[in-house]
Amino acid sequence: MTTIGECVSRLREKIKASTEDAFVTDRYLYSKFISFAKAIIRRQDNENKIVKYDSLFELLPYVELIEVDKIEANCVGIKTGCKIMRTKEKLPKVFQGSLGPIFRNIGPVDGSDTFQQINPVVYVAMTNSTNFKYNKCHYFWYRNGFLYFPDIKWEAVQIEAMFEDPIDGFCNQDDVDCTIMQQKNLNLPEYLIAEIEGMAAQDILSPLNIPSDTNDDSVNINR
């Protein structure tokens, strides 16, 4: 799998920017790359091409839940007593698809159930219907980096998603994640990385007027 450092190095080579250039930093190059990656991911998700790639999804096997009130959960319209559970910690950033964060599976840690994603407004409307008492499904929604679960009996869940942020620190909160950023893997399809790098390079070359690979090597690119 391609690392962030390898991606940045290739992108730097494409734009022929020297490492001494204070403006074209690794952080800048990676930010350009990831901005185009997000657009491509949304397109691929809209075409249902993402979910079939197992390597793109990472599992948080045990995510602790805490009880919160209906106001925080954005479902104050529920008339009956409803216990709302929320992930205790904010989740690592998740890639956004065409319909929101890309989750593949969320359920109890023993795998005995699969929860369905829903909008809290829709859920409130459902609870006020006469037939809701026959509904045996369990639901969740995503809000401000947390997941919310109405009326579930579990105190922890497992979450499988396409995470943009590394999950090392979340899984090992008592330890320090010492992995250098450049050594972390890009959680992206390999077949898309070259396309994204090309788009990022083209975008950088235009405003910065940095010579592309087609220019003569004798051109001085240092500003």
Side-chain angles (χ1 to χ4, degrees):
M1 184 173 285
T2 300
T3 65
I4 291 175
E6 290 169 341
C7 170
V8 168
S9 294
R10 288 200 300 259
L11 188 51
R12 187 177 295 282
E13 177 62 25
K14 287 179 182 293
I15 66 174
K16 288 185 175 292
S18 69
T19 55
E20 289 76 21
D21 191 325
F23 182 66
V24 188
T25 63
D26 286 357
R27 183 184 296 274
Y28 172 78
L29 293 175
Y30 180 63
S31 68
K32 281 291 184 181
F33 174 87
I34 207 69
S35 66
F36 283 99
K38 291 177 180 179
I40 294 296
I41 289 300
R42 283 193 292 271
R43 184 190 73 190
Q44 294 285 302
D45 182 58
N46 190 49
E47 297 171 358
N48 295 319
K49 294 180 179 179
I50 290 296
V51 69
K52 63 181 180 180
Y53 289 96
D54 293 340
S55 61
L56 302 182
F57 293 88
E58 296 177 280
L59 178 67
L60 297 176
Y62 190 92
V63 180
E64 188 176 354
L65 305 179
I66 60 172
E67 186 174 356
V68 296
D69 59 41
K70 292 187 289 186
I71 295 176
E72 180 187 337
N74 197 31
C75 57
V76 292
I78 297 178
K79 297 179 181 179
T80 60
C82 178
K83 182 179 180 180
I84 306 291
M85 302 296 285
R86 190 205 75 193
T87 50
K88 182 178 180 181
E89 306 292 339
K90 183 174 289 190
L91 298 177
K93 188 181 297 183
V94 181
F95 272 107
Q96 296 286 319
S98 56
L99 298 177
I102 304 177
F103 297 105
R104 186 160 73 165
N105 184 54
I106 295 179
V109 295
D110 61 3
S112 60
D113 197 357
T114 298
F115 304 155
Q116 297 182 23
Q117 187 167 3
I118 196 171
N119 184 288
V121 175
V122 175
Y123 182 79
V124 169
M126 288 173 55
T127 62
N128 293 327
S129 68
T130 56
N131 294 325
F132 183 73
K133 60 184 177 181
Y134 302 110
N135 190 333
K136 303 302 180 182
C137 294
H138 292 105
Y139 298 93
F140 75 91
W141 56 84
Y142 179 84
R143 184 168 185 254
N144 298 329
F146 296 94
L147 290 181
Y148 293 84
F149 303 86
D151 276 340
I152 65 170
K153 60 184 179 181
W154 298 277
E155 297 181 352
V157 295
Q158 61 176 351
I159 299 172
E160 188 180 20
M162 187 175 179
F163 292 104
E164 179 183 340
D165 286 345
I167 66 173
D168 312 54
F170 188 91
C171 293
N172 304 285
Q173 294 182 19
D174 295 330
D175 301 320
V176 177
D177 178 17
C178 297
T179 307
I180 299 173
M181 189 65 178
Q182 286 86 343
Q183 295 177 352
K184 294 181 183 295
N185 291 326
L186 275 173
N187 195 25
L188 291 168
E190 291 288 339
Y191 72 95
L192 287 179
I193 290 178
E195 178 185 356
I196 298 169
E197 288 175 353
M199 295 170 67
Q202 184 178 6
D203 184 72
I204 294 170
L205 287 169
S206 178
L208 294 183
N209 198 29
I210 299 174
S212 66
D213 289 341
T214 57
N215 289 97
D216 189 277
D217 288 338
S218 63
V219 176
N220 184 359
I221 65 171
N222 293 319
R223 298 183 313 222

